[in-house]
Amino acid sequence: MSKKLLDHRYDFVMLFDVENGNPNGDPDAGNSPRVDAETGFGYVTDVCLKRKIRNYVDLYMEDCEQDAERKNACGILIKPDKPLNRKFTDAHEALQETKADTKDIDPQVQARAYMCSHYFDVRTFGAVMATGGKEISCGIVRGPVQINFARSLSPVNVEDVTITRIVRTKEEKEKEKEQYAQMGKKSIIPYGLYRAEGYVSASLAQKTGMTEDDLALLWDAIINMFEHDHSAARGKMCMRKLYVFEHESILGNCPSHILFDKISVVQKSDMPPRQFTDYEITIDTAMPSGVKLEEKI
């Protein structure tokens, strides 16, 4: 297990698609797929993408063979197991049980370090851990890994598909002679290719304790985050491409937007796209000095 902290900055581009599904429902719009009202382009929030990464890491640590130390270091803070304030309290109680003489160190600083060392999503995405009052506060962590909203490469067409259910929910319906069916609907996108961009700050990673092992797990989670998230509502979702730009220096050798522009994705024809091959990907391989590009998938 590598405990080496990151000393290179990274930028990355994800391309994923959805077929006959809802990649990210909007609860304010009847859980319909999120769409930019002005342009018709679909989008997926950063919160949705981070949730899938968290879920994969949690599943990976549970089901795969890992040493106890690694599992203990890769917990997930943001998940529906127990209240956050209980976890913050546990951190303070665990610190009080240690034999190390840390009386001169601010308890909140100790608690923040404890959370970073025990939770993968805290040292990668950061967290606000001051919800339970000063006594159990674990401070605020600015995460080195940030992801933008994903946006579709073409306008998407949201279709409402009517569905029926013949199973009765109320006993009184059993007395009806005719077959009883309830009507419903599900909102889908026939096809959409989405692009999301992200950043990994090595300078912030050194403050949170994010290691090279954590980075490798992040890439693995991004590549596989749809593989264990299938459902009838989301349809067929696939991570198609993951491009990673690695800088030689800790602060980076080039602005991220210049690197993102190196990857161009355009629709081949005017027909509505219905598959990944309806797009053409062009990569400008002439990288700025000190930057190299790796295609992970």
Side-chain angles (χ1 to χ4, degrees):
M1 182 177 70
S2 173
K3 294 184 179 181
K4 182 182 178 183
L5 299 179
L6 298 187
D7 54 8
H8 296 268
R9 200 189 92 189
Y10 297 84
D11 300 297
F12 58 95
V13 175
M14 299 181 284
L15 296 177
F16 62 90
D17 60 5
V18 59
E19 181 180 327
N20 295 327
N22 182 352
N24 183 203
D26 184 352
D28 289 328
N31 211 43
S32 181
R34 298 179 188 270
V35 177
D36 183 337
E38 294 182 325
T39 64
F41 286 83
Y43 64 93
V44 175
T45 67
D46 60 323
V47 175
C48 175
L49 297 174
K50 288 178 180 179
R51 177 74 270 154
K52 297 180 192 304
I53 292 173
R54 285 185 172 101
N55 288 346
Y56 177 82
V57 171
D58 195 32
L59 184 64
Y60 179 83
M61 285 297 156
E62 179 182 337
D63 292 348
C64 295
E65 292 186 3
Q66 297 287 331
D67 59 79
E69 183 182 1
R70 181 61 174 160
K71 284 191 174 183
N72 190 47
C74 288
I76 297 297
L77 176 68
I78 307 300
K79 69 175 185 178
D81 52 351
K82 59 182 179 179
L84 292 178
N85 288 349
R86 179 65 256 175
K87 295 180 181 180
F88 302 153
T89 301
D90 291 344
H92 281 274
E93 291 177 350
L95 289 169
Q96 290 176 1
E97 294 176 359
T98 60
K99 297 180 180 180
D101 185 7
T102 55
K103 295 180 180 179
D104 296 333
I105 303 178
D106 185 343
Q108 188 176 111
V109 173
Q110 296 181 57
R112 183 167 61 243
Y114 177 93
M115 299 300 286
C116 285
S117 65
H118 284 76
Y119 292 99
F120 175 87
D121 54 341
V122 174
R123 61 179 179 272
T124 53
F125 300 137
V128 176
M129 301 177 290
T131 59
K134 185 177 180 179
E135 295 77 12
I136 63 170
S137 174
C138 295
I140 298 173
V141 175
R142 185 181 175 193
V145 179
Q146 299 300 329
I147 301 175
N148 296 333
F149 277 29
R151 198 189 77 153
S152 65
L153 276 303
S154 305
V156 296
N157 179 37
V158 178
E159 295 184 3
D160 290 332
V161 180
T162 303
I163 57 176
T164 61
R165 183 180 70 176
I166 63 171
V167 179
R168 303 173 179 83
T169 55
K170 299 180 181 179
E171 292 185 4
E172 52 266 30
K173 295 296 182 180
E174 190 72 27
K175 300 178 182 179
E176 296 181 3
K177 294 182 179 179
E178 297 182 2
Q179 188 180 42
Y180 174 74
Q182 290 181 321
M183 307 293 288
K185 72 169 186 177
K186 60 187 303 183
S187 298
I188 66 165
I189 293 173
Y191 184 80
L193 178 63
Y194 290 75
R195 172 174 175 154
E197 296 155 352
Y199 322 84
V200 182
S201 167
S203 58
L204 289 176
Q206 296 205 352
K207 295 179 181 179
T208 67
M210 184 178 178
T211 66
E212 291 186 345
D213 275 353
D214 291 331
L215 183 66
L217 181 55
L218 174 68
W219 300 144
D220 189 36
I222 290 175
I223 292 171
N224 294 287
M225 65 181 178
F226 299 121
E227 296 305 307
H228 303 279
D229 190 60
H230 296 299
S231 74
R234 280 183 280 278
K236 179 183 177 182
M237 296 191 68
C238 302
M239 181 61 63
R240 293 292 185 174
K241 293 291 181 181
L242 173 59
Y243 301 99
V244 177
F245 299 93
E246 180 181 355
H247 300 250
E248 284 185 352
S249 69
I250 189 172
L251 295 179
N253 300 80
C254 178
S256 57
H257 71 274
I258 294 177
L259 300 178
F260 293 153
D261 289 344
K262 296 285 185 180
I263 299 176
S264 174
V265 185
V266 295
Q267 192 175 322
K268 292 180 180 179
S269 70
D270 294 333
M271 293 292 292
R274 287 296 182 267
Q275 56 189 351
F276 181 60
T277 53
D278 289 339
Y279 290 88
E280 181 178 4
I281 301 175
T282 304
I283 301 175
D284 179 1
T285 57
M287 293 294 121
S289 177
V291 178
K292 64 179 181 180
L293 172 63
E294 181 180 1
E295 187 175 339
K296 295 284 187 181
I297 183 176

